[in-house]
Amino acid sequence: MRPLTRLPQLFAGLALYGFSLSLMVRASLGVNPWSVLYEGLERHTPLSFGTVSAVVGVVVLLLWIPLRQRPRFGTVANIGVLACASDLGLSLMPAGLGLPARIALLAGGILLNGFSVAVYVGARFGPGPRDGLMTGSAALTGRSLRFVRTLLEICVLLAGLLLGGTAGAGTVLYALAVGPVTQFFLPWFAHREPADPDALLIESARPRNGRSG
């Protein structure tokens, strides 16, 4: 598929991903590990949630250098679009909602997050900074993607908690649900070519028995 036809898919996926983060933040029932870190850093800086995510994205991108990873267009777009979309979502949604509304926001945020990952990864414009850190670390150490991702997210979660970020039932639910949701939607959006740099990410989300969804 030609790059220009995949470009709207990339930006739509990234925008939806950023918006999904804002849904989970407003739910106030626990966010994903990276968002726990963003919340913690936000408490200690004058920066917005989205701006913090962009700064962290740049710092993570610098960690690619010793991993010999090369950023692509989608990597850079990931930083900017996620930051803008998450801040826009937070500005549109009120805080302090009732519990039923917050549960709905959490469930919707997790579903939208998994869907959006499938959309932007499937566009094949390169992994985001955090995904590249995961795949690069796995390639360097020879460990599985599952092991490396789990280790990175535990470290990020602990750092965020120490800085004052919030975790809760939503954090656990996200960890359990986002993978299967992404796996379900990815076959619908994944465009593959020989020697595809995103193939490792795409294959890691596919069912092990070879069936789609």
Side-chain angles (χ1 to χ4, degrees):
M1 184 173 284
R2 296 178 180 178
L4 288 181
T5 62
R6 292 185 282 111
L7 200 58
Q9 179 177 329
L10 170 71
F11 283 107
L14 293 175
L16 290 173
Y17 187 94
F19 190 73
S20 74
L21 297 184
S22 65
L23 291 177
M24 289 185 282
V25 170
R26 284 291 182 254
S28 300
L29 293 170
V31 291
N32 67 39
W34 286 97
S35 292
V36 174
L37 178 62
Y38 304 156
E39 284 186 337
L41 291 171
E42 187 182 10
R43 289 177 177 270
H44 299 278
T45 68
L47 304 177
S48 67
F49 179 90
T51 304
V52 170
S53 76
V55 172
V56 171
V58 172
V59 172
V60 171
L61 198 57
L62 294 176
L63 298 177
W64 282 31
I65 297 175
L67 298 176
R68 298 182 179 179
Q69 295 279 89
R70 292 185 179 181
R72 298 169 64 199
F73 177 77
T75 309
V76 179
N78 183 292
I79 295 173
V81 177
L82 261 62
C84 295
S86 58
D87 273 350
L88 177 61
L90 289 171
S91 70
L92 294 174
M93 286 180 292
L97 297 172
L99 183 59
R102 289 161 54 203
I103 292 175
L105 284 179
L106 176 64
I110 292 174
L111 288 173
L112 184 60
N113 189 275
F115 174 81
S116 63
V117 170
V119 173
Y120 83 75
V121 169
R124 296 192 305 104
F125 276 101
R130 301 150 197 84
D131 290 330
L133 179 63
M134 174 186 67
T135 56
S137 298
L140 182 66
T141 62
R143 305 303 296 265
S144 69
L145 283 175
R146 184 185 299 273
F147 174 83
V148 172
R149 177 170 182 166
T150 301
L151 181 61
L152 285 175
E153 294 198 348
I154 288 174
C155 291
V156 167
L157 176 61
L158 291 176
L161 290 173
L162 289 173
L163 290 168
T166 57
T171 308
V172 178
L173 183 60
Y174 178 89
L176 295 174
V178 72
V181 173
T182 302
Q183 176 179 289
F184 176 80
F185 285 111
L186 189 57
W188 297 8
F189 298 99
H191 303 289
R192 299 169 59 193
E193 292 179 357
D196 186 351
D198 297 327
L200 189 59
L201 281 175
I202 292 174
E203 290 301 327
S204 71
R206 290 188 178 277
R208 293 185 179 274
N209 60 7
R211 297 171 55 192
S212 297

